Amino acid sequence: MLKLRDVFAGYGGGDVLQGVELDVPGSSVCCIVGPNGAGKSTVLRAVSGLLRPRQGQIELEGKSLCGLHPAEILALGVSQVPQSNALFPNITVKENVLMGGYIERRRRSYLRRRYDEVVELFPVVEERAREKAGNLSGGQRRMVEFARSLMLDPKLVLLDEPSLGLDPKALKQVHESIAAMTEAGKTILLVEQNVRFGLRIADQGIVMESGRVLLAGAAAAVLNNPEMAALYFGGHVAQSKQQPVART
């Protein structure tokens, strides 16, 4: 569904991503892990159009996303949940969720139908609909963020560290919610600092370091790859110029 080829992108004239290449199969959960500064969140920003690549190609189902405005990419079926503080705390839960359909705000009957469908996946939205979003717990806020991301029935959902700051009970809710989204036909690309959590809920795993993809393959194989220990406890994974991606 999603393909990145030789992508270079960054901020202020410097490239964070240095020739990233990755594939995300349709109807899968794909998790990107790696140390701080590896470029994980920058990949999501490049895909969603918040950051324009300097070089390379990003394609969704064969259509180039490069050069498109974020609203155009959203309309093509790519939705992103930011890392934290993504809700408007002083408006209600229902209003926050409806904001996910803002670019289609004139199609009121469509948005009512989508809201009802989203509520079925995330009951907390209906239970707390009239409360201010700022009154929710961390886990509840994350559920509302997920619900909002589905308002336009996206094909691909980008999740930036969904486990950040959550307790074990909330982590279980996140796990269940991601499973519910995939059962609803969504493809998920998530970034995680919590390596075990991310790779255990994923089908595919990608390891990044210093703006490059080092390992890619089945999530369980990536998690158990000896090079993972070298990356997290020994500094970095050795990488040859001839074979920049080690498929597991």
Side-chain angles (χ1 to χ4, degrees):
M1 173 171 282
L2 180 70
K3 180 186 296 184
L4 278 71
R5 290 292 179 267
D6 196 32
V7 173
F8 286 77
Y11 313 92
D15 288 327
V16 176
L17 304 183
Q18 312 230 358
V20 168
E21 303 211 2
L22 61 85
D23 299 280
V24 179
S27 302
S28 70
V29 178
C30 186
C31 179
I32 304 176
V33 299
N36 287 331
K40 305 182 299 295
S41 295
T42 304
V43 169
L44 301 189
R45 291 176 64 85
V47 172
S48 66
L50 295 174
L51 178 65
R52 181 168 294 191
R54 180 178 65 81
Q55 176 182 315
Q57 191 59 238
I58 302 175
E59 295 181 357
L60 178 73
E61 296 183 323
K63 180 178 177 60
S64 176
L65 302 182
C66 293
L68 298 182
H69 188 275
E72 294 176 301
I73 294 174
L74 176 61
L76 288 173
V78 180
S79 179
Q80 181 169 357
V81 178
Q83 188 175 105
S84 60
N85 301 320
L87 297 182
F88 299 98
N90 295 321
I91 64 175
T92 68
V93 167
K94 183 174 183 178
E95 288 168 336
N96 267 280
V97 172
L98 289 174
M99 285 294 291
Y102 183 78
I103 66 171
E104 296 286 358
R105 57 193 178 279
R106 292 179 178 84
R107 300 175 59 190
R108 295 184 179 181
S109 61
Y110 169 74
L111 292 182
R112 282 195 295 269
R113 176 171 60 81
R114 283 301 303 155
Y115 179 82
D116 290 342
E117 292 170 351
V118 164
V119 164
E120 289 185 17
L121 283 178
F122 299 100
V124 68
V125 172
E126 185 66 20
E127 294 164 4
R128 311 295 290 272
R130 293 176 175 79
E131 294 186 39
K132 295 289 180 66
N135 296 333
L136 301 179
S137 68
Q140 290 170 334
R141 287 197 299 270
R142 194 55 96 192
M143 299 304 100
V144 174
E145 291 166 359
F146 288 175
R148 184 174 61 187
S149 75
L150 298 185
M151 275 298 294
L152 293 179
D153 198 16
K155 303 170 184 175
L156 174 66
V157 180
L158 310 176
L159 304 178
D160 196 350
E161 296 199 35
S163 73
L164 185 67
L166 300 184
D167 60 29
K169 180 180 178 181
L171 283 179
K172 184 173 184 290
Q173 293 175 322
V174 168
H175 190 167
E176 292 170 348
S177 297
I178 291 174
M181 287 192 283
T182 57
E183 288 173 7
K186 309 305 175 189
T187 300
I188 309 293
L189 175 60
L190 71 142
V191 158
E192 260 301 338
Q193 195 66 27
N194 186 333
V195 175
R196 293 189 180 278
F197 173 80
L199 292 178
R200 283 175 174 167
I201 64 176
D203 305 303
Q204 302 289 317
I206 295 170
V207 182
M208 292 185 64
E209 183 188 25
S210 302
R212 297 180 175 89
V213 173
L214 300 182
L215 302 170
V222 170
L223 181 60
N224 295 315
N225 192 304
E227 291 184 309
M228 285 292 285
L231 177 63
Y232 279 93
F233 304 111
H236 69 279
V237 175
Q239 178 182 12
S240 71
K241 292 182 179 179
Q242 289 75 25
Q243 191 176 9
V245 179
R247 298 285 176 183
T248 58

